[in-house]
Amino acid sequence: MSSQNLRIGILALQGAVQPHVEKLRALSAEPVEVRQPKDLDGLSGIILPGGESTTMIQLLKLNHLWDPLARFTRERPAWGLCAGTILLAKEVVHPAQESFGAIDISVSRNAFGRQLDSFIEIVSPTDHWVDQNRQEAVFIRAPRITQVGSGCDILFQMKSEPIMVRQGHALATTFHPELSTSDIFHRYFVDLSEQHG
Amino acid sequence: MNEMRLKTGLAEMLKGGVIMDVVNREQAVIAEKAGAVAVMALERVPADIRKEGGVARMAPPEKITEIMEAVSIPVMAKARIGHFVEARILESLGVDYVDESEVLTPADEQYHIDKFQFKVPFVCGARNLGEALRRIAEGAAMIRTKGEAGSGNIVEAVRHLRKMLSQMRRLTTLGPEELVTESKELGAPLSLVQIVAKTGKLPVPNFAAGGVATPADAALVMSLGAEAVFVGSGIFKSESPEKLAHAIVEATANFHDAAILARCSKGLGMPMKGLDIHQLRAEERLQERGV
């Protein structure tokens, strides 16, 4: 499927923005850095990158982006990674904090521990994923998805624990595909944005 | 290799953010509420180290633990240059990053820590590309400018950032045989010099530190190409730390937007007074340590 001229936003207030820019460019999609409400205009989808969710919440409010982005993620394709997953979730614990509720999951912050507990693992897809190939997954101070609503499909899991979940046009990943060489995850989101955007 | 990807991976997540020096739980909570991406736990902020003198060491473990328990964001802590035992202690406490820092009194005037021997990632200061690449060769997963810590004066951070960036730009224009000589002159491994020549940037994230005192200072170093900002004495030595901390976070994220910078620079009271770098004696300049 051609992703030419498909404009994909990346929330760029804080966090690992640049790796997504490079992945999207390599797929011929047009990355758009989102800092203000007007930056959401004309996007087919948006990536909420890894970073610090507490910082992002502050900045989303200061830049008057909280409400427009909450609306966008409930209506259009949105992919949260790590901190982004925390923003998209329905419920956040440890500690509790506000979120958009764009995907019916509960998330526990830093649930694998601190940086010394960060790790890289080869993980397996479920039947809901596009193929059966195992993929590398980089976890950095990662959150855990502790509950998954009935409307969600689990796309990847690790030791039977969900690490990538989809509900309609919303996608949540607790690891960092932007730090691995494969572009399959970004290709999946570009396709999803093309279909639903 | 994977170990290094995890170490630089956390630095990737901190980009576009502000890392604030804190000396206790209360300051750590203020920093987190203001939107800091991480805090740096230390015994005294650089301005106080400068004023009080004496040997500056790693913060006491109970202090670091207290700060780690108070916030959900990453906690960094400083070890003296070459003091691999302080670094081991910090690692065993579970801090998220160790800053092998010239702000503390060096423990070794010849060698830095062999940072590859650690699972915890390290950040190190640098004034130029040679220093940066030597620290990376020792295993640093993040570089920050040294600036002049505790001075409240941005001039040295600007000097170091500009120097590094222009040295990197120059490398991209050189031929393979010129890189060999350049490696000798920089005092840096050829393999790293070749990587910079190819990509035009450091192989690890490049942050700014040393002398940031206002939102405009933070925006300045971001505009010059820093990927995130460390603020030391600037915040808690100002008249209204909470407001200033917020404003510096906002300015760092919106560094290209002058209207936002103007708004968030209002009503902050007096910033820290600051020092004229030219009035400092050579032995008072922290940046000369550990080159």
Side-chain angles (χ1 to χ4, degrees), chain B residues 201-271:
Chain B
K201 55 187 185 117
L202 293 180
V204 305
N206 189 10
F207 292 9
V212 176
T214 66
D217 288 347
L220 176 63
V221 290
M222 290 297 287
S223 306
L224 287 171
E227 296 175 301
V229 180
F230 285 85
V231 187
S233 320
I235 289 171
F236 292 101
K237 287 289 162 192
S238 76
E239 197 180 315
S240 33
E242 286 172 43
K243 276 192 199 160
L244 185 61
H246 260 108
I248 291 181
V249 168
E250 195 178 0
T252 301
N254 297 289
F255 66 90
H256 53 278
D257 189 328
I260 294 181
L261 296 175
R263 178 168 51 72
C264 73
S265 299
K266 274 184 204 158
L268 300 177
M270 280 290 286

Side-chain angles (χ1 to χ4, degrees), chain A residues 33-102:
Chain A
E33 296 190 9
V34 174
R35 294 190 179 84
Q36 305 290 336
K38 63 174 165 35
D39 300 333
L40 293 169
D41 296 346
L43 297 181
S44 297
I46 188 161
I47 294 175
L48 279 53
E52 279 306 316
S53 60
T54 51
T55 304
M56 290 186 198
I57 290 172
Q58 286 278 350
L59 291 166
L60 283 166
K61 291 187 172 168
L62 284 168
N63 283 22
H64 309 291
L65 199 50
W66 181 272
D67 291 332
L69 187 58
R71 207 173 313 123
F72 188 100
T73 60
R74 286 194 288 260
E75 293 167 359
R76 315 283 296 277
W79 179 18
L81 301 101
C82 198
T85 283
I86 296 168
L87 291 178
L88 285 188
K90 189 171 174 189
E91 184 196 34
V92 181
V93 298
H94 186 249
Q97 61 189 36
E98 296 168 87
S99 55
F100 295 147

Side-chain angles (χ1 to χ4, degrees), chain A residues 16-190:
Chain A
V17 177
Q18 199 55 32
H20 292 291
V21 170
E22 285 158 25
K23 290 276 190 201
L24 291 175
R25 283 211 180 113
L27 294 169
S28 302
E30 185 188 339
V32 178
E33 296 190 9
V34 174
R35 294 190 179 84
Q36 305 290 336
K38 63 174 165 35
D39 300 333
L40 293 169
D41 296 346
L43 297 181
S44 297
I46 188 161
I47 294 175
L48 279 53
E52 279 306 316
S53 60
T54 51
T55 304
M56 290 186 198
I57 290 172
Q58 286 278 350
L59 291 166
L60 283 166
K61 291 187 172 168
L62 284 168
N63 283 22
H64 309 291
L65 199 50
W66 181 272
D67 291 332
L69 187 58
R71 207 173 313 123
F72 188 100
T73 60
R74 286 194 288 260
E75 293 167 359
R76 315 283 296 277
W79 179 18
L81 301 101
C82 198
T85 283
I86 296 168
L87 291 178
L88 285 188
K90 189 171 174 189
E91 184 196 34
V92 181
V93 298
H94 186 249
Q97 61 189 36
E98 296 168 87
S99 55
F100 295 147
I103 184 164
D104 189 8
I105 55 174
S106 297
V107 174
S108 176
R109 292 183 57 208
N110 302 331
F112 289 97
R114 307 190 68 95
Q115 172 62 11
L116 289 172
D117 308 300
S118 292
F119 60 99
I120 298 177
E121 184 80 60
I122 304 300
V123 295
S124 303
T126 66
D127 292 340
H128 294 289
W129 185 241
V130 293
D131 61 27
Q132 286 306 306
N133 296 331
R134 282 147 55 88
Q135 298 291 339
E136 176 190 87
V138 180
F139 292 85
I140 294 177
R141 284 175 53 96
R144 275 191 142 117
I145 298 172
T146 52
Q147 275 182 55
V148 177
S150 56
C152 299
D153 289 328
I154 296 169
L155 304 183
F156 270 85
Q157 51 192 10
M158 180 176 62
K159 300 178 188 97
S160 71
E161 166 176 346
I163 55 171
M164 182 171 188
V165 172
R166 174 175 173 178
Q167 182 179 24
H169 50 73
L171 202 56
T173 310
T174 57
F175 54 97
H176 292 281
E178 79 280 14
L179 299 181
S180 295
T181 48
S182 168
D183 65 0
I184 191 164
F185 295 97
H186 286 78
R187 193 180 294 278
Y188 183 84
F189 184 65
V190 167

Side-chain angles (χ1 to χ4, degrees), chain B residues 137-160:
Chain B
E138 295 154 359
M142 180 201 296
I143 293 296
R144 56 168 176 77
T145 59
K146 285 179 171 171
E148 188 54 42
S151 71
N153 189 335
I154 198 66
V155 65
E156 294 301 298
V158 168
R159 193 192 315 278
H160 301 159

